[in-house]
Every structure is written in C-alpha cells, then in structure tokens.
Amino acid sequence: MNSSTVIGALTVPGSAQNIAEARRFLVKLLGADHQDIEAGRLLLSELIGNSIRHSASGRGGSVTVAVLDVDGALRVEVADGGGETVPCLCSRGMLLESGRGIKLVDVMATRWGFTRDSRASTTTWFELGNTRCPSR
C-alpha cells in the first residue's frame, strides 16, 4: 500500500529568478544535512527550468513545487501551465547547450515521471532513495 505525506508546497512565478527560491524552500523543509538534499536541489532546478522554458508557466504563469514523503522516499513534484510537448528522454547532440536535464533526472533519480491534464497542466516528478523524510 502506498502511503504519501505532503511535507510542503510552494508556488512561485514562472521565471528563472525564482529557481533559487525553490531550492531554498527544499533545503528549509528537509534540512541542509538530509542525505538527498544536493541531488534534490539539482533535479528540482532542472524540472523548474524545463517548466519555465517549455510551458505556459514561463510566459506569465506560475510553477508549484510539492515535496512529499512516499513510503519513505523523497518525492518532488513540479506542476506547470502545460505546453506543446511532454518531458522525454530525447537524443540531443553532444555539443548543444541544452537538452540534458531529463537525462540527468533519469540517471540520478530512483524513479521519475509525469502526469498531464490535457494541455492545461503538466506535473513532472522524481523520487530519491528510500530514506525517511523529516516528519512534520
């Protein structure tokens, strides 16, 4: 049986200036010494960056970050305003400056995926480890 507990949530305007705020939020919730904090901060940055670049959130919308404990694993969800595409492991040229974020998530996360509510909303998520999150 899956058990999940929301630890916290934050909604910020969909602009690159707010990525740092979301990372600070994650550290505040989990603590700087949490074993998955560095990976969590990096992957959160990637997902928010993708949301800003590829969805309506980056054109005047917002991004919502939810942090959950799912059966002892850390789960971070990023919900955006939806877009023309969905997250994918796309083959990109080695010399291109972008296009590696989801690959990074795929390599570092225990699991990841997304859900889509038509074109109105996409939620991309990742899970790290199976360590207990701080209880709230």
Side-chain angles (χ1 to χ4, degrees):
M1 179 174 161
N2 286 344
S3 169
S4 65
T5 303
V6 176
I7 299 169
L10 172 73
T11 300
V12 295
S15 65
Q17 295 88 329
N18 294 306
I19 294 173
E21 181 180 351
R23 288 192 305 252
R24 287 190 298 270
F25 171 73
L26 186 64
V27 172
K28 183 177 179 182
L29 282 179
L30 300 179
D33 59 347
H34 188 279
Q35 77 176 39
D36 292 319
I37 197 65
E38 292 306 319
R41 285 169 27 116
L42 176 61
L43 300 183
L44 174 58
S45 296
E46 291 296 334
L47 293 189
I48 291 178
N50 283 350
S51 289
I52 292 167
R53 275 188 293 284
H54 302 294
S55 79
S57 293
R59 298 183 297 277
S62 62
V63 176
T64 298
V65 175
V67 180
L68 301 92
D69 178 327
V70 178
D71 292 329
L74 170 65
R75 180 175 177 134
V76 178
E77 300 178 347
V78 176
D80 62 40
E84 296 295 319
T85 61
V86 295
C88 70
L89 284 170
C90 305
S91 297
R92 302 285 301 211
M94 291 298 292
L95 300 177
L96 296 177
E97 292 182 18
S98 65
R100 295 183 189 89
I102 292 295
K103 177 65 174 170
L104 191 62
V105 173
D106 187 58
V107 168
M108 293 181 70
T110 306
R111 296 180 342 133
W112 75 275
F114 70 91
T115 57
R116 190 168 194 184
D117 175 16
S118 67
R119 289 193 180 184
S121 175
T122 301
T123 300
T124 308
W125 56 269
F126 65 84
E127 291 180 3
L128 291 169
N130 196 19
T131 59
R132 284 274 161 220
C133 295
S135 57
R136 295 275 184 242

